[in-house]
Amino acid sequence: MSIITKPLIRELRQQFALDWNDIHGAPHWARVRLNGLLIAKTNSARKDVVELFAFLHDSRRQNDGHDPEHGARAATYANQLRDRFFTIDDVGFKLLQFACRHHSESESSSDLDITVQTCWDADRLDLGRVGIKPRPGRLHTEKAIEPLFLKNAYGRSLK
Ligand SMILES: [Fe+2]
């Protein structure tokens, strides 16, 4: 069963400041979730964290352009939602907060947790929607850089 429930989606939608169907809204979140779950099938990434990341990471954006604090806001918001709309252990929650807080920074570290790598790849694989083709060099997981997987995710991102 998914950790993403209808009450959680209702809460996210009701507070979302942007167009629900635009580039940082629900269709993007759904594709990030799919990308993340497909990658998580092939490694040991935590599926609950991947799903929560997909639906939370852009949920506190205030605009569709330059908004460098939106990841930090998402991490804070996750704290407000925890135990009201989902439950997760402390280790998983720390991973979720880290993944949200830092997802839009360009820094790439080699000792990232596999769950964080999976979250960030899942998001990056959906860049086609804003006219960017994800480069394998900017991806972390083995699955994400597989040519066919990358091509299929890019195809989905253009729809
Ligand atoms: Fe995103």
Side-chain angles (χ1 to χ4, degrees):
M1 214 186 80
S2 174
I3 196 165
I4 308 299
T5 59
K6 278 190 182 158
L8 173 60
I9 293 173
R10 215 175 291 132
E11 156 71 20
L12 294 170
R13 182 167 195 164
Q14 167 261 308
Q15 62 78 46
F16 191 53
L18 306 174
D19 182 340
W20 182 248
N21 289 305
D22 210 341
I23 55 171
H24 293 108
H28 167 57
W29 305 351
R31 288 189 300 266
V32 173
R33 174 176 176 269
L34 175 62
N35 290 338
L37 288 178
L38 290 172
I39 298 170
K41 268 189 189 175
T42 69
N43 63 25
S44 58
R46 284 189 50 164
K47 295 184 179 64
D48 54 352
V49 176
V50 164
E51 290 198 88
L52 287 169
F53 170 83
F55 274 69
L56 294 181
H57 76 284
D58 280 338
S59 67
R60 299 294 275 179
R61 267 189 168 272
Q62 292 174 345
N63 64 63
D64 281 317
H66 187 66
D67 185 2
E69 292 302 316
H70 79 277
R73 286 198 299 273
T76 303
Y77 184 41
N79 209 26
Q80 296 166 26
L81 300 177
R82 188 184 186 191
D83 296 331
R84 284 175 64 215
F85 295 97
F86 63 85
T87 53
I88 192 167
D89 58 281
D90 289 347
V91 172
F93 191 65
K94 279 214 173 74
L95 289 169
L96 173 65
Q97 285 200 300
F98 183 92
C100 285
R101 187 176 300 279
H102 301 291
H103 80 271
S104 59
E105 296 165 10
S106 53
E107 141 287 328
S108 160
S109 154
S110 55
D111 58 351
L112 286 172
D113 184 278
I114 190 71
T115 297
V116 175
Q117 292 183 23
T118 300
C119 290
W120 291 357
D121 281 2
D123 187 27
R124 189 155 281 278
L125 285 168
D126 201 45
L127 280 173
R129 76 195 193 287
V130 289
I132 298 171
K133 200 161 192 178
R135 278 177 290 140
R138 297 290 304 277
L139 297 165
H140 300 91
T141 62
E142 277 176 39
K143 188 66 186 175
I145 58 176
E146 270 179 23
L148 184 59
F149 187 78
L150 187 53
K151 183 170 171 260
N152 287 338
Y154 183 65
R156 287 192 296 272
S157 75
L158 300 174
K159 283 179 192 153

